[in-house]
Amino acid sequence: MLKPLYLRMLMQCIRPWLRAVLLAVIGVACSACASRMPVSAPAENRRITNLDEQPVDPLGAADGRRATVLLFITNDCPISNGFAPEIHRLCDAYMPQGIAFYLVYVDPGLTAVDARQHYRDYGYRCQALLDRRNVLARRAGATVTPEAAVFLADGRQVYRGRINDLYVDYGKARFAPTTNDLRDMLELIVRGEKVEIRTTVAVGCHIPM
Amino acid sequence: MKSRTECVVVVGCLLTLARFTQAATAVGASPPTFNRDIAPIIWNNCAACHHAGEVAPFNLTSYEDVRKRAKQVAKITHARTMPPWKAEPGYGEFEGERRLSDAQIATIQAWAEAGAPEGNAADLPALPKFSEGWQLGQPDIVVQMVEPYTVRAERPDIFRCFVVPFNIPAGKYVKAVDYRPSNRKITHHALLFLDNTGMARKLDEADPGPGYSRMGGVGFLPSGGMGGWAPGAAPHRFPDHAARAVGANTDLVIQTHFHPSGKVETEQASVGIYLTDEAPKRTAATVPLGVRSTIDIPPGARDYKWADSITLPVAVEIPAITPHAHYICKDMQVWATLPTGEKRWLIWIKDWDFDWQGQYRYKAPVELPAGTKIDMVYTYDNSADNPRNPSSPPQRVRRGEQTTDEMGITFLSVMPKNPSDIKSVREAIRDHFLNLRGGAAAEGSTGSGLGALLGRLRGSTTPVPTTQAVK
């Protein structure tokens, strides 16, 4: 977007009277917006919580885990929902091997009640988070659901992208995946092999930022 | 402190200005708004499937629903993936065509680029009413799948047939059929057939669980069709004076296409049947082009062609066409060549998708004179570059019922202009099936068709070539 330098230059050009006019315009516009926006403290929203709305720091835990996987999902994205069975298999295979999994619900409009309902309906077994301000998605660089990000215990991110290549495009899925990108990365980690940073392109529903 | 607030405000202002300029450059002075320009497109073309309880996975019934997916909606409509409609425009005029105009697609594009503005609330049109109940009033007969079927959580899609015994009283004929899935979330479409041979029951008994699985067909030659259902479609009505006569000891067979949702679901559909006392004066027959296929596609072949044709002995009307193939078929062309040499397209599908197959009904039945030749040419891509290829690496593909086999069939509904000609139509179909008469089907190997048919009846695994596959 706008570069800070560019911005500073622009501001210098704005005369005091123009600033006053802009202030007034914005003031009116904001009061108009305010009536439509849900009343909630921004700090509350920026918090990452579990589905019971208790704060969680998924990347801050020092519990001896080898790595942390964030799986960005939404409750109503068909591509993301279609991956539920594969997500179960991944969790079952790698949680016992020291990999922590977090489902990250990214929809800012999703209530904790609806997220819990969705979590139960799809039979998820790993931990789940509400990240309404996309703090984690931004940090990981995720832009669609489902998309995965892998962080090593020291905080270094080593993967971002698709779970596998099942989807080629919207409405175009393979019969079966031919790559297992996330699984391959986790295999390297649990075997203690050297990992190189990898990114792939995930096909899915855009995360509204 | 004050200067900081001011700073934030100015930045906000600039961002807003930047947005407006962006919008203005995209579409001139006034960017499209949701309420005025986008809602009418979405309500009429998307909401029938994208509303609560329907097959599509989320609603597109409010500004918020569409705004939050603006980018994806712009992309998917531009690629013409949604609304799902496979038939190429200009190659047959179909009922219920789901297709956006270029102008509508451009409007959605411009709206998304402008930051998806909502616009004036007064401009918002009312959402259409989507009927949940029987669309033609209470049916004369309602039958239901005998037991619920459990749909697994994961792809690939499931094609399953269910046998529903029913009884149409003597002297009554079926004039319309409506279909109500109990679980629309996973029901992609359904086709209804009649079986008076008891074959479907046998297939059902042989397969554990409710119903039996078939990739595309129903596993027997149906004694009639009873229409079908897809989200947003109107109930099936038989043409005037052509109600469907259903004999005694006939079963209804529902072939359902399920689209797994990521979790286990169940389905138990109902069928509503509307009767009339008016005996049919006209009868339709189904011409199955391409059924005797000897498809044999080498691994790696990108443009394997499979063709068949039939010449109509009498003048007919064609109310509907149903193209059918499995996963690696990519292009389907069916056309008629009139005795004058004039070519008339019946359908062209350029990007066949097994998951969106169905029956296409013409806006007005296509009228064809006696002596018209109907051709079909289907093209298959058995390379590794075809993401829909079920085999990786690609394998030799032959005709068959399995996922990894192929088919290439065009079911044409034909209704003779002169009702008494139905006999000649049936004879032509039989002769074509036995390969006794002309057409491309017989080229190169006339006479061996019967051998192939007998071979198949005996369960022979080495098909005798009957129809020429053009490479």
Side-chain angles (χ1 to χ4, degrees):
Chain A
M1 270 255 147
L2 296 169
K3 297 259 157 51
L5 178 66
Y6 173 50
L7 228 149
R8 252 180 282 139
M9 282 167 58
L10 267 173
M11 295 224 295
Q12 275 164 16
C13 306
I14 296 175
R15 307 218 167 129
W17 66 267
L18 184 55
R19 260 188 252 175
V21 171
L22 286 177
L23 262 171
V25 169
I26 288 292
V28 171
C30 282
S31 59
C33 307
S35 60
R36 290 184 35 222
M37 296 239 284
V39 211
S40 54
E44 282 292 290
N45 263 339
R46 218 166 283 133
R47 239 179 24 179
I48 297 156
T49 70
N50 63 18
L51 301 191
D52 296 320
E53 306 201 74
Q54 299 305 312
V56 175
D57 180 5
L59 299 175
D63 51 6
R65 67 176 69 154
R66 292 180 211 250
T68 304
V69 179
L70 303 180
L71 288 164
F72 297 93
I73 64 163
T74 33
N75 66 328
D76 59 2
C77 169
I79 302 179
S80 161
N81 284 338
F83 269 97
E86 175 65 6
I87 292 176
H88 298 327
R89 286 190 290 265
L90 285 163
C91 292
D92 292 349
Y94 293 101
M95 273 171 9
Q97 303 192 62
I99 309 273
F101 281 82
Y102 294 91
L103 296 174
V104 185
Y105 284 92
V106 291
D107 187 340
L110 182 69
T111 64
V113 173
D114 287 347
R116 284 198 293 268
Q117 182 67 45
H118 179 263
Y119 182 89
R120 268 197 305 274
D121 284 351
Y122 283 83
Y124 283 116
R125 305 189 269 277
C126 55
Q127 305 179 72
L129 306 172
L130 291 169
D131 179 14
R132 298 205 170 95
R133 285 297 170 97
N134 297 322
V135 175
L136 292 171
R138 283 205 182 85
R139 167 142 182 210
T143 54
V144 301
T145 63
E147 189 161 2
V150 180
F151 293 84
L152 297 181
D154 63 9
R156 263 188 313 141
Q157 182 174 358
V158 288
Y159 183 68
R160 191 209 70 227
R162 62 194 181 194
I163 295 170
N164 61 35
D165 71 346
L166 183 64
Y167 277 83
V168 181
D169 200 348
Y170 296 136
K172 197 165 201 169
R174 289 176 203 280
F175 200 76
T178 62
T179 68
N180 271 305
D181 310 83
L182 176 58
R183 206 174 264 274
D184 291 348
M185 177 55 77
L186 298 181
E187 250 338 285
L188 290 179
I189 295 173
V190 298
R191 281 198 249 119
E193 287 175 31
K194 187 173 173 303
V195 291
E196 267 160 34
I197 296 173
R198 250 199 106 204
T199 57
T200 54
V201 177
V203 173
C205 309
H206 287 277
I207 300 174
M209 294 269 186
Chain B
M1 185 63 212
K2 185 179 159 274
S3 70
R4 224 184 110 203
T5 333
E6 217 178 72
C7 223
V8 170
V9 167
V10 172
V11 171
C13 238
L14 288 171
L15 287 176
T16 319
L17 278 176
R19 276 212 155 174
F20 279 136
T21 16
Q22 208 184 351
T25 45
V27 283
S30 91
T33 69
F34 180 79
N35 290 339
R36 187 187 60 214
D37 308 289
I38 304 301
I41 304 176
I42 302 288
W43 287 187
N44 294 327
N45 297 282
C46 320
C49 296
H50 288 271
H51 75 262
E54 274 300 343
V55 63
F58 47 79
N59 295 350
L60 291 177
T61 51
S62 73
Y63 169 62
E64 191 46 33
D65 290 341
V66 188
R67 183 203 61 80
K68 87 179 178 183
R69 302 188 174 79
K71 249 194 209 170
Q72 199 188 0
V73 165
K75 235 186 197 172
I76 212 166
T77 49
H78 184 72
R80 292 192 181 278
T81 311
M82 287 282 152
W85 183 259
K86 289 288 160 191
E88 208 45 33
Y91 296 83
E93 290 245 330
F94 298 103
E95 217 173 61
E97 186 182 39
R98 294 185 296 244
R99 210 183 153 76
L100 299 182
S101 67
D102 291 344
Q104 286 172 320
I105 293 171
T107 306
I108 296 175
Q109 223 66 20
W111 174 72
E113 271 166 38
E118 181 168 14
N120 190 343
D123 293 337
L124 183 68
L127 202 62
K129 290 242 179 313
F130 303 108
S131 68
E132 299 297 333
W134 298 112
Q135 295 184 54
L136 304 174
Q138 185 58 35
D140 298 298
I141 296 177
V142 175
V143 289
Q144 196 183 26
M145 270 164 60
V146 183
E147 42 184 341
Y149 176 67
T150 304
V151 179
R152 63 158 186 263
E154 201 167 10
R155 288 177 51 83
D157 288 13
I158 299 163
F159 287 76
R160 188 116 183 141
C161 301
F162 304 96
V163 183
V164 183
F166 76 149
N167 190 14
I168 306 294
K172 298 278 186 190
Y173 306 90
V174 178
K175 69 171 182 206
V177 181
D178 199 359
Y179 184 85
R180 276 169 73 185
S182 70
N183 187 341
R184 290 165 185 251
K185 295 236 94 137
I186 43 152
T187 308
H188 218 270
H189 78 259
L191 294 174
L192 309 180
F193 300 95
L194 297 171
D195 176 31
N196 61 9
T197 63
M199 190 62 193
R201 286 185 192 211
K202 287 201 190 98
L203 289 164
D204 191 0
E205 276 160 27
D207 191 316
Y212 59 94
S213 283
R214 271 291 178 284
M215 268 291 285
V218 282
F220 59 92
L221 203 59
S223 50
M226 288 273 276
W229 178 88
H236 181 83
R237 289 169 200 256
F238 288 96
D240 288 345
H241 315 300
R244 166 74 72 207
V246 178
N249 300 320
T250 299
D251 290 327
L252 182 65
V253 179
I254 307 174
Q255 188 214 49
T256 318
H257 170 189
F258 295 112
H259 189 63
S261 70
K263 65 187 176 77
V264 173
E265 308 264 5
T266 57
E267 161 68 353
Q268 188 171 19
S270 307
V271 181
I273 296 163
Y274 298 85
L275 301 174
T276 172
D277 296 328
E278 190 196 335
K281 294 188 186 69
R282 309 184 61 190
T283 332
T286 302
V287 176
L289 267 185
V291 272
R292 291 168 313 128
S293 99
T294 49
I295 289 174
D296 188 352
I297 315 172
R302 281 166 202 278
D303 279 301
Y304 181 89
K305 291 206 169 21
W306 164 245
D308 194 8
S309 71
I310 190 171
T311 301
L312 301 167
V314 296
V316 301
E317 286 177 5
I318 301 191
I321 184 168
T322 310
H324 177 72
H326 292 180
Y327 288 95
I328 63 167
C329 180
K330 60 175 181 186
D331 185 282
M332 301 171 146
Q333 303 183 16
V334 187
W335 69 89
T337 309
L338 276 48
T340 57
E342 186 198 330
K343 182 172 179 176
R344 203 172 288 169
W345 280 94
L346 294 176
I347 197 163
W348 188 354
I349 291 176
K350 287 187 175 170
D351 179 25
W352 165 253
D353 182 345
F354 185 72
D355 289 350
W356 285 107
Q357 57 182 302
Q359 189 187 52
Y360 292 83
R361 301 186 66 80
Y362 293 99
K363 270 193 182 138
V366 179
E367 302 199 12
L368 298 173
T372 298
K373 180 169 171 247
I374 297 179
D375 279 283
M376 63 169 266
V377 176
Y378 288 8
T379 308
Y380 300 79
D381 179 354
N382 192 17
S383 71
D385 295 338
N386 180 1
R388 294 193 176 114
N389 198 334
S391 301
S392 172
Q395 305 292 319
R396 176 183 182 186
V397 172
R398 291 199 274 180
R399 180 196 187 281
E401 289 275 352
Q402 300 307 313
T403 306
T404 47
D405 300 330
E406 262 303 340
M407 291 243 178
I409 306 182
T410 310
F411 295 102
L412 281 169
S413 287
V414 257
M415 201 178 280
K417 285 290 243 191
N418 177 352
S420 63
D421 281 345
I422 190 74
K423 230 180 118 232
S424 352
V425 171
R426 295 218 165 106
E427 277 165 10
I429 295 170
R430 193 201 57 213
D431 291 358
H432 178 73
F433 198 67
L434 300 179
N435 205 3
L436 299 176
R437 279 193 212 181
E443 272 167 30
S445 54
T446 317
S448 59
L450 194 56
L453 180 72
L454 294 175
R456 247 203 340 273
L457 291 177
R458 283 194 224 104
S460 154
T461 48
T462 41
V464 186
T466 54
T467 303
Q468 208 174 28
V470 268
K471 297 253 163 65

